[in-house]
């Protein structure tokens, strides 16, 4: 357990990004995530909304409980609460720590927009935060607290997105597109501000750090202005494209 938690440092060398251990571990998580979402979503699809929502409530509690456990380990291991500054929910994936509880516990348009946000970004974040997490799997053992907790929380986000879709909980109303944009832009602004204050890289707005964002970082020559702007623009384009494809599919079904 001491080795799993990395107390005193890891005795093991990291297996490496895209090692067979990395691929097997995250693929197992993705398989379980998808199976649970399909089974539970299809089972609850025709049930009252309150019944459907109970699964999201459980997901919201579990994802935040796992994150709090991880933060507790980090603080104990580092002997300082300062480590919390570098683990704020300001990555695209970790925004789900806030939006999944919002989707589960809020009401009205806020709930609708939160459900849409999780539906739009949950699966993308799950894939990027597991298969694309070069900064984690290149630095820590696969079966260490960093990668296991990160894998679990990203999988819960992906599960929530798929479950919302299969259970028929999406609203995807045009009137909520502005709210979805606003949620993302708020977190982008907060992440960029914190990055400048503590010299960090939330939302990968400063550099790619071994993720697919490295491609964009290279194309912009690492411009401190153009690179973060294009990252934010890509997020907005993704939202718009997701809504457009969803509307086209729904219209075709009608």
């Amino acid at each position: 357990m001491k080795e799993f938690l990395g107390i005193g440092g890891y005795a093991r060398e990291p297996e490496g990004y895209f090692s067979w251990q990395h691929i097997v571990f995250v693929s197992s998580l993705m398989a379980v995530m998808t199976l649970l979402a399909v089974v539970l979503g299809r089972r609850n699809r025709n049930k009252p909304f309150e019944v459907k929502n109970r699964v999201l409530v459980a997901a919201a509690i579990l994802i935040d409980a796992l994150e709090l456990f991880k933060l507790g380990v980090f603080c104990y291991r580092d002997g300082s609460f300062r480590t919390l500054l570098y683990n704020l929910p300001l990555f695209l994936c970790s925004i789900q720590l806030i939006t999944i509880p919002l989707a589960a516990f809020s009401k009205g348009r806020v709930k609708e927009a939160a459900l849409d946000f999780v539906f739009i970004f949950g699966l993308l974040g799950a894939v990027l935060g597991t298969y694309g997490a070069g900064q984690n799997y290149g630095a820590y053992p696969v079966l260490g607290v960093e990668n296991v907790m990160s894998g679990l929380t990203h999988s819960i986000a992906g599960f929530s997105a798929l479950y919302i879709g299969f259970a028929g909980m999406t609203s995807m109303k045009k009137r909520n597109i502005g709210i979805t944009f606003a949620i993302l832009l708020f977190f982008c602004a907060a992440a960029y501000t914190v990055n400048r204050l503590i010299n960090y890289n939330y939302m990968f707005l400063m550099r790619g750090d071994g993720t697919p964002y490295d491609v964009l970082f290279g194309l912009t020559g690492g411009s401190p202005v153009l690179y973060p702007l294009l990252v934010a623009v890509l997020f907005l384009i993704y939202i718009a494209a997701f809504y457009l494809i969803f509307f086209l599919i729904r219209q075709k079904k009608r």
Side-chain angles (χ1 to χ4, degrees):
M1 183 58 69
K2 184 178 179 181
E3 173 65 12
F4 169 73
L5 297 176
I7 297 174
Y10 290 105
R12 296 165 291 157
E13 291 292 326
E15 293 86 351
Y17 181 46
F18 263 74
S19 63
W20 70 264
Q21 295 94 333
H22 169 208
I23 298 302
V24 169
F25 176 63
V26 299
S27 296
S28 300
L29 290 176
M30 294 297 101
V32 173
M33 169 194 89
T34 303
L35 179 63
L36 284 175
V38 172
V39 170
L40 292 175
R42 289 174 66 88
R43 187 189 71 181
N44 291 342
R45 187 170 184 86
N46 297 317
K47 293 184 179 180
F49 192 86
E50 293 74 16
V51 175
K52 299 178 184 181
N53 198 61
R54 291 172 190 166
V55 175
L56 278 186
V57 169
I61 293 172
L62 184 58
I63 193 172
D64 281 356
L66 289 172
E67 185 69 10
L68 288 172
F69 171 77
K70 183 186 77 173
L71 293 177
V73 170
F74 287 178
C75 289
Y76 174 79
R77 200 171 62 183
D78 298 343
S80 170
F81 287 108
R82 183 173 174 77
T83 191
L84 296 178
L85 289 175
Y86 303 98
N87 289 278
L88 297 172
L90 291 176
F91 283 111
L92 182 62
C93 311
S94 54
I95 294 173
Q96 306 294 354
L97 295 166
I98 297 171
T99 52
I100 293 176
L102 273 177
F105 295 107
S106 63
K107 295 181 180 180
R109 288 187 65 184
V110 173
K111 186 178 187 72
E112 290 178 352
L115 284 167
D116 290 352
F117 193 93
V118 175
F119 181 57
I120 292 169
F121 281 107
L123 187 58
L124 176 68
V127 173
L128 291 179
T130 52
Y131 289 105
Q135 78 286 5
N136 265 21
Y137 289 94
Y140 308 109
V142 170
L143 296 182
V145 67
E146 287 88 356
N147 286 325
V148 170
M149 291 298 109
S150 176
L152 289 173
T153 52
H154 282 86
S155 297
I156 293 171
F159 161 81
S160 298
L162 289 173
Y163 174 77
I164 287 169
F166 280 105
M169 297 180 72
T170 57
S171 66
M172 297 297 284
K173 295 177 181 175
K174 293 180 181 179
R175 67 175 188 170
N176 292 330
I177 295 176
I179 300 177
T180 307
F181 279 161
I183 291 173
L184 182 66
L185 290 175
F186 169 80
F187 279 102
C188 281
Y192 187 78
T193 301
V194 173
N195 286 340
R196 302 292 293 181
L197 290 174
I198 67 173
N199 190 29
Y200 203 52
N201 192 27
Y202 282 119
M203 272 201 176
F204 302 104
L205 290 175
M206 311 308 286
R207 56 193 178 275
D209 274 356
T211 69
Y213 294 111
D214 274 334
V215 175
L216 186 60
F217 189 81
L219 290 174
T220 61
S223 168
V225 176
L226 186 59
Y227 169 72
L229 281 176
L230 286 181
V231 170
V233 168
L234 282 178
F235 292 152
L236 297 179
I237 291 174
Y238 173 76
I239 293 175
F242 196 102
Y243 269 104
L244 177 61
I245 293 170
F246 184 88
F247 292 149
L248 291 174
I249 293 173
R250 186 164 61 184
Q251 189 176 36
K252 187 176 181 180
K253 286 183 177 180
R254 290 175 180 175

